[in-house]
Amino acid sequence: MGRVLVISSFVAKGTVGLQAALPAFAAAGIETVALPTVLLSNHPGFAACAGTQIACETLDAMLDALDANGWLSSIDAIFTGYLPSADHVRFARGAVERVKAANAMVLYLADPVLGDDPEGLYVSHDAAIAVRDVLVPLAAITTPNRFELAWLSGRDVIDRTTAVSAARSLGVPHVAATSIPAGDEHLENVLVSGGEATVETVARRAAAPHGTGDYFAGALLAALLRGACYADAMAAASRLTDRLVAASQHRSDLEFAAVHN
């Protein structure tokens, strides 16, 4: 079914970053090679959080070892998520270029984990700029939420029409934008792929745990690797994520068993 290189955060407790994206690949029978950019006790939104960034030199050495063991040559797709510094963004770009040199057909999804409503940016400004200027231009597909799409494009994103315009301005072949406002009771996930725009409508829910964006991006890439076209992959990822959010209301973590059993 394929092998994916996944570069994102790792938490000991919780379902964000790698802990949210990897279950989507596992459920689809897709092998993952995961590199953690940070090690944290839990999501920083809780009262206490401890951990550290993984040095880029360590990540480079890990990538070298994976390559020496012959595992990078069979990578079919790359997924990048949370990158805590501009140096980590440059590491991720180097990893993408390295894998692409071995397999020009590798599919690269950049999940630009920069911030969200209403908090705004939760990475440094330098890291956000690097994601925008260094990493997103390499991607075949990117998966920003409403805030991230507005920040990356420098445009207001208030509805489906403005989301489509902002997505097209990024210059990425496929943009799957999530959490676009669509009234009091609904949100829209908007796929801009070539000259076409398709929309999946989901319920607006007030109490979803963190990690839904990581899971959505993983589910989307998993569907693509299983042979779905972009529109069908968008529909599948939206449907799975909506079910997951519904099952996880008022919980601290995402309830994957409700979707994957």
Side-chain angles (χ1 to χ4, degrees):
M1 283 295 183
R3 176 181 286 169
V4 183
L5 175 64
V6 188
I7 304 172
S8 193
S9 59
F10 179 84
V11 293
K13 168 67 173 71
T15 52
V16 296
L18 292 173
Q19 297 280 52
L22 296 184
F25 295 115
I30 294 169
E31 182 185 352
T32 53
V33 178
L35 290 177
T37 55
V38 297
L39 293 177
L40 297 175
S41 57
N42 48 263
H43 188 278
F46 289 91
C49 180
T52 187
Q53 296 183 14
I54 304 302
C56 292
E57 293 81 5
T58 300
L59 292 170
D60 277 324
M62 292 171 70
L63 200 66
D64 286 343
L66 292 167
D67 196 12
N69 288 329
W71 293 323
L72 291 188
S73 60
S74 59
I75 294 292
D76 300 295
I78 307 166
F79 174 116
T80 59
Y82 181 76
L83 302 165
S85 74
D87 284 342
H88 286 84
V89 175
R90 287 187 281 272
F91 161 76
R93 182 185 175 101
V96 172
E97 292 175 336
R98 184 169 180 174
V99 174
K100 281 190 170 185
N103 176 13
M105 300 303 292
V106 72
L107 179 62
Y108 172 41
L109 183 150
D111 185 17
V113 182
L114 306 178
D116 204 350
D117 295 315
E119 297 91 349
L121 278 179
Y122 47 62
V123 299
S124 72
H125 194 254
D126 286 348
I129 289 173
V131 168
R132 182 192 66 193
D133 296 347
V134 174
L135 212 50
V136 169
L138 284 183
I141 183 167
T142 189
T143 54
N145 61 32
R146 189 221 65 83
F147 170 82
E148 291 158 347
L149 178 59
W151 196 92
L152 289 169
S153 65
R155 302 186 180 201
D156 290 335
V157 176
I158 59 172
D159 55 19
R160 179 191 308 181
T161 301
T162 52
V164 170
S165 177
R168 286 184 172 143
S169 76
L170 298 183
V172 178
H174 310 280
V175 178
T178 61
S179 301
I180 305 303
D184 293 338
E185 297 184 358
H186 296 93
L187 296 169
E188 291 179 338
N189 296 334
V190 179
L191 173 68
V192 177
S193 182
E196 300 295 323
T198 58
V199 175
E200 298 293 331
T201 301
V202 297
R204 182 193 292 269
R205 297 185 174 91
H210 295 289
T212 56
D214 305 295
Y215 177 83
F216 170 85
L220 179 65
L221 184 54
L224 291 170
L225 286 173
R226 288 173 63 90
C229 69
Y230 277 90
D232 288 347
M234 178 71 158
S238 296
R239 181 175 63 253
L240 283 169
T241 306
D242 187 50
R243 286 174 53 198
L244 182 60
V245 172
S248 307
Q249 290 292 283
H250 306 290
R251 297 177 181 269
S252 60
D253 298 328
L254 296 170
E255 295 293 320
F256 298 117
V259 176
H260 293 151
N261 283 354

